[in-house]
Structure formats: structure tokens, C-alpha cells
Amino acid sequence: MNVSEAVAHRRSIRAFTDQAVDSDLLRSILEKAQRSPSGGNLQSWNAKVLTGEPLEALKAAVAAKLPEGPAGQTPEYPIYPPKLPDPYRSRRFGVGEAMYAGLNIDRDDKMGRMMQMAQNFRAFDAPVCLFVHLPKYMGPPQWSDCGMWLQTLMLLLCEAGLDSCAQEAWSIYGDIVRDQLSIPEDDIFFCGLAIGYRDKDALINTFPVPRAPMDESVTFHGFD
């Protein structure tokens, strides 16, 4: 799979099979991802990779808090800006509605939507989940580096026949993630990354995720 194919193939997978991920393969992919761009070569990203009992323990700890709802939690950061304007607001809600429509979950089916949301905190049953954190004193450029590292990692996973889903939702329960994984207090917990093999028959892995036309965000200057 070349880079263009990996970019086209990659999508956020929300239903995984129970096929295990080979640890040597995963280590090899993470080693390659270290070549991701990094301003000043700071390499600000840090990650904890969980499978088996440690992952199940984390999921259980979060599951115990889910019935209370997210209102009592202190998220690590705002996932979206407040009062998000268009076109960003429409894009965000559009993909959400497409997902629920693909699952045949009606707008008024609050319980169905809550149950689907709860799947985030099972890492969509992926056998591996990686949790990313970086020092709090790092600024937007280093957050950008962390994002480039994640994208590099996700494309390398595609090349190896694996799939993934970047999950900022875990940051809602950041205090539990911190406690379970012993993330330093001087670090901010960013996101999870579910890793495994996609369930090709799951409807949630097939709904359309359109992208805006390039001309909405890119302009050319000085070209013929």
C-alpha cells in the first residue's frame, strides 16, 4: 500500500474484530513513526500502549463512572471551541447524523445514542489502545507535532493492514486515565488511539464521511 492508498483507506473505525495485534509488528510500526516531523526535533509526544488486563481495567474504571454522566467530570481540555460557527458546526453535526443514520438510530433515540457513545470508552472493542500525553508547558506547535505523529502512525498502521480510531473522547475521563496509567501531573492527557482489525461487516465502518472541496480551504497564488 502506497501513501495515497493509505490516506484513502484510513478512516475512524468504530467496530473491531477480536483478532490480536502482534506485539513485534506494533513495535516496528511505532519505531517507524518516530520519523514523524517535529519542530526543533523536540518529539513532544509520549504514549502508553495497553492490551489485555491493563486495558480491561481502565475500561472497567471508566464504565463505573458512565452512569453518572459526563457533567461531573473535568475534561482535560475543550474538545471543540464554544459556539462553533459554520462551516465547522455543520461538518461536525453532519458526520454525527450520518453515523447514527448508518446505525439506524433515530434522532429521538436518546438511549441508543448514549449506548453508542459509551462504545468510545470500550475503545470500540479494539484489542489495543494507545494513550497520548505531553508536557503541559508545550504549546500549539508541539501539539501540532503530536498530531503529525498520530497521522504518521495511523498511515503506517494502514500499510500494515491494521486500522485505528483517534479518540479525544477519553479526555472527558482524563482523571481516571491519569490515575490508571500513572500519567505525570505535569503532563496533559490528549487522546486515545484504538488499534486493531476492522469488522468489515459492521455498518458503522461504512457510512459516508465526505470531505469539503479543496477550494474551500486552499488557495493558490503565483501559479499559471
Side-chain angles (χ1 to χ4, degrees):
M1 184 181 290
N2 62 36
V3 176
S4 296
E5 291 168 338
V7 170
H9 179 76
R10 192 214 65 80
R11 64 175 289 152
S12 295
I13 294 303
R14 295 180 175 88
F16 291 84
T17 71
D18 59 3
Q19 182 178 350
V21 176
D22 181 79
S23 61
D24 289 338
L25 174 61
L26 189 55
R27 286 175 179 274
S28 173
I29 292 168
L30 285 162
E31 187 67 38
K32 292 177 183 176
Q34 288 298 107
R35 298 302 307 172
S36 178
S38 175
N41 203 29
L42 268 62
Q43 304 169 67
S44 57
W45 53 83
N46 297 275
K48 306 211 182 261
V49 189
L50 276 65
T51 193
E53 291 184 6
L55 180 55
E56 292 303 316
L58 173 59
K59 291 192 290 188
V62 174
K65 286 288 186 179
L66 287 179
E68 302 174 12
Q73 301 301 313
T74 303
E76 291 284 288
Y77 55 88
I79 295 178
Y80 301 104
K83 298 180 180 179
L84 192 65
D86 276 331
Y88 312 108
R89 181 180 182 276
S90 295
R91 292 173 186 169
R92 178 191 171 195
F93 283 98
V95 75
E97 290 305 308
M99 181 184 75
Y100 289 120
L103 291 170
N104 297 314
I105 298 176
D106 294 334
R107 180 185 292 271
D108 296 331
D109 186 357
K110 304 299 184 184
M111 181 58 67
R113 293 190 173 214
M114 287 174 59
M115 290 177 65
Q116 179 55 45
M117 178 62 181
Q119 288 299 309
N120 275 281
F121 307 109
R122 290 197 52 78
F124 305 113
D125 294 322
V128 174
C129 198
L130 175 151
F131 295 89
V132 184
H133 57 102
L134 65 164
K136 290 179 179 178
Y137 53 76
M138 295 294 183
Q142 289 76 49
W143 279 71
S144 174
D145 289 351
C146 190
M148 288 190 285
W149 174 73
L150 279 165
Q151 173 72 339
T152 300
L153 176 56
M154 287 188 281
L155 294 179
L156 287 167
L157 289 166
C158 280
E159 179 188 58
L162 286 154
D163 294 289
S164 63
C165 183
Q167 297 181 267
E168 293 167 332
W170 283 102
S171 66
I172 298 171
Y173 294 93
D175 57 339
I176 299 176
V177 176
R178 287 176 166 283
D179 181 62
Q180 290 285 312
L181 305 187
S182 300
I183 292 175
E185 284 299 317
D186 291 337
D187 279 18
I188 187 165
F189 166 58
F190 177 29
C191 71
L193 183 70
I195 299 171
Y197 295 92
R198 72 175 70 185
D199 181 346
K200 297 178 181 178
D201 297 325
L203 292 175
I204 199 167
N205 291 336
T206 61
F207 71 89
V209 184
R211 289 295 193 258
M214 183 191 67
D215 290 344
E216 286 191 16
S217 55
V218 179
T219 60
F220 293 85
H221 304 267
F223 292 86
D224 292 334

